Amino acid sequence: MLSIVRLLGVPLFLWLVLVPQADWWALGVLAFAGISDWLDGKIARAWNQTSRLGAVLDPMADRLYIFAALLGLVMRDIVPWWLMAILVVRDVLIVVALPVLRYYGYGTLPVNFAGKAATLCLLYSFPLLFVAGYDGIVGEVAQIVGWAFAIWGTAIYWWAGLLYAVQGLRLIGQSRRADRAVQAGEGPATRQAATRQDPDTTEDGRPSGRLSRRRAGESGPPSSDRKGATSPP
C-alpha cells in the first residue's frame, strides 16, 4: 500500500514542478516519498513481510521519482540534458539485460549496496538543485551541495550497474558450463564438477531459483539489510 501511494505521488510531483512551479509543495511530496520508503522497509523487516509485487513496486517508485525530478530540472533549465541522458542510458542497459538473464533461467538481480547509495545521493541532490534556483546564501549552498550529491550519485549509479553486469556474466557463465556438461552426455561426476561452484542446481544442470537468489546477492548487503527488493535501482 505504501509503494502504491508513492507511485500515485509521481504525477503529482511532476505537475507541481512544471505547471504551477510550486517547488516547496513538490519538495514536500518528495520528502513524503522518502519517508514512506523508509517506513516501508522498516515494516518489512520488523514483520518479515515481503512479496513479489512489493519487490517490483519499491524500486520502480524510486526510478520514477528520479526520472520525474530529472525531467522537471531539465525542462526548467536547472540541470543540463546530458545528466539525464547518462542516468537514463544506464537504466535502459539494465532493462535490455533482463531478457538475457531470463533466457538462462535467472530472474532480476537483487539491489546491491552501491545501487542503494547511488539512489540515496540522487534523491538528496534533486531537492537541493530545486532550491539552488533561489537567490541568496541558501541557494548558493544548495547549489554546491546539490551538485556534489548529483556527481557522486551518478558515478556510483554507473558503478552499481557495472557490478550488476559482472554478476550477470558470472551467472551466465556458470549456466553455460552446466549446459555443456549435460549436452555432452557426461556422467554425474563431470556435471557436478561443472557446477560445483553452485551446488544448488537442478538435475538437468540448470541453476535453481534458490541459487539465483543466493548467488545474485553476493555483492549486495546482508539479507537483513534489504526490504526484499529484487530489482536493480
Side-chain angles (χ1 to χ4, degrees), residues 1-11 29 32-38 40 57-63 65 123 227:
M1 291 177 61
L2 285 171
S3 295
I4 291 174
V5 171
R6 291 177 66 213
L7 287 171
L8 292 176
V10 173
V29 173
F32 170 78
I35 293 171
S36 62
D37 185 28
W38 171 82
D40 184 15
L57 292 181
D58 180 67
M60 181 187 298
D62 289 339
R63 301 280 76 72
Y65 272 106
L123 290 178
K227 295 188 296 185

Side-chain angles (χ1 to χ4, degrees), residues 10-11 13-14 17-18 63-73 84 130:
V10 173
F13 169 77
L14 191 57
V17 168
L18 295 178
R63 301 280 76 72
L64 289 176
Y65 272 106
I66 289 176
F67 177 78
L70 273 172
L71 182 61
L73 288 167
M84 182 174 182
F130 277 115

Side-chain angles (χ1 to χ4, degrees), residues 22-120:
D23 291 346
W24 293 108
W25 284 104
L27 294 180
V29 173
L30 197 59
F32 170 78
I35 293 171
S36 62
D37 185 28
W38 171 82
L39 187 61
D40 184 15
K42 190 75 173 177
I43 294 173
R45 287 189 294 269
W47 292 350
N48 195 26
Q49 289 187 345
T50 60
S51 67
R52 291 182 61 85
L53 178 61
V56 172
L57 292 181
D58 180 67
M60 181 187 298
D62 289 339
R63 301 280 76 72
L64 289 176
Y65 272 106
I66 289 176
F67 177 78
L70 273 172
L71 182 61
L73 288 167
V74 169
M75 293 188 68
R76 290 178 53 179
D77 295 325
I78 297 176
V79 301
W81 65 268
W82 54 261
L83 179 62
M84 182 174 182
I86 290 174
L87 296 173
V88 170
V89 166
R90 183 269 199 188
D91 281 340
V92 169
L93 293 176
I94 293 292
V95 171
V96 170
L98 293 179
V100 179
L101 285 172
R102 291 195 179 99
Y103 176 80
Y104 285 98
Y106 295 97
T108 51
L109 300 177
V111 179
N112 59 34
F113 181 78
K116 286 178 175 289
T119 300
L120 184 66

Side-chain angles (χ1 to χ4, degrees), residues 191-202:
R191 184 184 307 147
Q192 183 179 3
T195 60
R196 63 174 172 262
Q197 292 182 346
D198 301 285
D200 295 322
T201 55
T202 58

